[in-house]
Amino acid sequence: MSFDAELIIVGGGLAGLSAGITATRLGINAILLERGEYSGSKNVSGGRIYVHSLVKLIPEALEEAPLEREIEKETFEFYCGEKKVTFSFEEKGKRNSFSVLRAKLDSWLAKRAEEAGLLISYSTLVLGAERESEGITLKTNRGQLTAPLVIDASGVTSVVFRSLGLRKFSPEKWMLGVKEVVKGQPTQGEARVIVGAVKGIKGGGFVYANRDTFSVGVTATYDSLPRAEVPAYDLVEKFRERVGVEGEVLEYSAHAIPYYGYGNLPSLTGRNLMAVGDSAGFLINDGFTIRGMDLAIASGMMAGIASKKVIDSGNFNDTSIYEALLRESFILRHLELAYNRFKLINSPHFLSSYPEILCQLLSDMFSVGEERRSLLEDTILRLKERGITIGRAIEDVWGFVR
Amino acid sequence: MIPLLKRLGLNSYDVDKSPHIEADTEKCVKCQEKPCIASCPAGTYERSPNGGIVVHYERCLECGGALVICPFNAIRFKFPKGGVKYKYG
Ligand SMILES: Cc1cc2nc3c(=O)[nH]c(=O)nc-3n(C[C@H](O)[C@H](O)[C@H](O)COP(=O)(O)OP(=O)(O)OC[C@H]3O[C@@H](n4cnc5c(N)ncnc54)[C@H](O)[C@@H]3O)c2cc1C
Ligand code: SF4
């Protein structure tokens, strides 16, 4: 059987492109299929990238990549009705994370991939996959292609794994992310993370400062959407109003995000097959940050390296080398570390009760009347009001910092 | 590699059509709660007078939400013959 390529990559987001660049550099004959008209046309992201993986892939990235602003200020805001708790932290010159717009970043990376020799076929939608003649045949809107090795980088919909019966859609394992780009004049690179601004949703919001725009968005679990105070198409509008971002809306977009957590990760490999980025469920959402881009790039690079090893070995049934590389790397380690917090923010009251208790404590602290309790007394009282024992609270806080 | 591109019938930057969604109205069981309406960030679905849904294809952002939210798999990505151009980023 002759194959169309040694390796086919499905999806030209950050994960697929990173896999493609790495594999091509290692001399593999690879083709990448992307449904969009160009890379970045269909990718959505809040827009804060931790750059360590990108710099590993493209050492000149900090000078050459279309990054927006260096994040120098972090602000966390908890809303509880009329009250709000904010804390912020500033550190200049760290160059660890940047705001970014995906249409620019992905198409820049795609150009780098083509320069490295990767063949990219745009406007090509993979509709299904079948196992055939020792490889996988992909059905696309333009015809069929077969390869002995496939990397599924199609994002959360994991089209190849799904078509082969290795994944199912499960709404409780996905979140919706909605985002607007709003015209504005940021004075510095700032990342705001906001919890509790829209009632009823399990999730949070963010505002990132770009060069001359703001990225404003909300993420929410699908099961909480029907109970939210506004329908999904009004979420960002409502959120913007609450957090006070005004300006002309230049772009509106949305995307589903994986929400598995380390303990529920889906299958990462199969015969002739590897999953990278969102398709592998590599997303860290710990209540403070959403991190998928650095994991997408790094897992793509690892799948590229693994491809070379699998192709050299000639045994396409065994792709476990990829999982071994993931295990040695920061990817699975960071996902595992974040899992405690993931479980906590999924406990029914975590994102509502504790912020509200904190708001109440601060409100008591800054109000003066004849009644006054010590902070400890007040804490115990406020926890009690919500039916939380001291032991439980200590356990939760321990779980959060651990 | 060029013959392969030819086989796919494209040059790298072919931009005429765009993938989209397709609602299979046969599969839609007209759920009472209609998760697709509640969770679509683009307002693609509306209640129809007969209890089903009306689909405004041109609004879809291709976020993938309705694919997962519909318990009966009545919605899927599709490459439409007519080539409806998607609107947003
Ligand atoms: C609102 C929002 C905010 C976020 N904020 C952040 C953040 O601040 N920081 C961060 O690091 N991460 C963030 N993320 C997560 C991050 O965007 C993702 O983890 C990252 O985009 C994953 O990259 P990927 O390449 O795996 O998938 P994607 O970027 O989804 O790329 C998948 C590609 O595959 C293509 N494709 C899909 N199906 C097919 C098919 N059938 N045939 C052909 N091509 C196909 C798509 O067009 C797309 O180009 C956010 C996500 C959202 C939605
Ligand atoms: S994919 Fe997203 S935008 Fe399109 S119909 Fe489904 S939920 Fe709405």
Side-chain angles (χ1 to χ4, degrees), chain A residues 103-320:
Chain A
K104 290 190 202 164
L105 180 69
D106 289 34
S107 49
W108 171 80
L109 196 62
K111 209 178 289 149
R112 299 300 301 252
E114 288 185 312
E115 282 164 14
L118 179 69
L119 188 70
I120 306 183
S121 175
Y122 291 107
S123 297
T124 307
L125 176 72
V126 173
L127 297 158
E130 266 169 31
R131 288 193 183 284
E132 211 175 40
S133 34
E134 302 296 302
I136 293 177
T137 296
L138 300 172
K139 281 184 264 167
T140 81
N141 60 308
R142 297 176 181 281
Q144 296 198 352
L145 286 178
T146 306
L149 197 57
V150 171
I151 294 178
D152 191 340
S154 63
V156 67
T157 49
S158 311
V159 61
V160 187
F161 274 76
R162 221 169 7 89
S163 301
L164 293 174
L166 300 169
R167 296 268 161 87
K168 277 202 200 110
F169 283 147
S170 34
E172 71 286 359
K173 302 228 166 61
W174 284 22
M175 277 186 129
L176 173 70
V178 207
K179 180 192 148 191
E180 282 178 354
V181 177
V182 178
K183 223 173 177 169
Q185 285 300 319
T187 49
Q188 81 179 123
E190 180 181 10
R192 289 171 66 189
V193 172
I194 296 138
V195 177
V198 182
K199 282 204 203 91
I201 62 156
K202 194 160 101 194
F206 54 82
V207 180
Y208 297 132
N210 302 317
R211 275 176 208 273
D212 44 23
T213 53
F214 288 99
S215 294
V216 186
V218 176
T219 59
T221 59
Y222 275 103
D223 55 352
S224 69
L225 284 169
R227 275 169 276 130
E229 65 179 321
V230 286
Y233 53 84
D234 277 340
L235 274 182
V236 186
E237 196 72 25
K238 178 86 187 169
F239 174 74
R240 250 186 332 110
E241 213 175 87
R242 290 292 314 269
V243 303
V245 178
E246 282 170 18
E248 186 191 343
V249 178
L250 302 175
E251 195 186 296
Y252 178 80
S253 55
H255 213 282
I257 326 173
Y259 191 63
Y260 294 95
Y262 179 75
N264 317 306
L265 283 181
S267 46
L268 307 177
T269 57
R271 275 192 295 136
N272 320 77
L273 192 57
M274 296 179 258
V276 294
D278 278 11
S279 174
F282 293 157
L283 192 106
I284 292 177
N285 185 342
D286 61 7
F288 286 119
T289 39
I290 299 182
R291 243 181 86 191
M293 290 190 263
D294 62 323
L295 302 170
I297 294 172
S299 59
M301 289 167 74
M302 268 162 235
I305 295 168
S307 307
K308 171 73 176 158
K309 300 205 175 189
V310 172
I311 289 169
D312 285 350
S313 79
N315 177 8
F316 295 96
N317 286 330
D318 183 8
T319 47
S320 61

Side-chain angles (χ1 to χ4, degrees), chain B residues 13-25:
Chain B
Y13 295 97
D14 199 356
V15 290
D16 55 354
K17 297 172 203 148
S18 193
H20 220 72
I21 49 154
E22 179 186 62
D24 184 342
T25 35

Side-chain angles (χ1 to χ4, degrees), chain B residues 21 36 39-42 44-45 59-67 75 77:
Chain B
I21 49 154
C36 48
S39 56
C40 175
T44 304
Y45 307 96
R59 295 184 189 167
C60 174
L61 305 164
E62 295 175 31
C63 76
L67 273 76
I75 291 148
F77 278 135

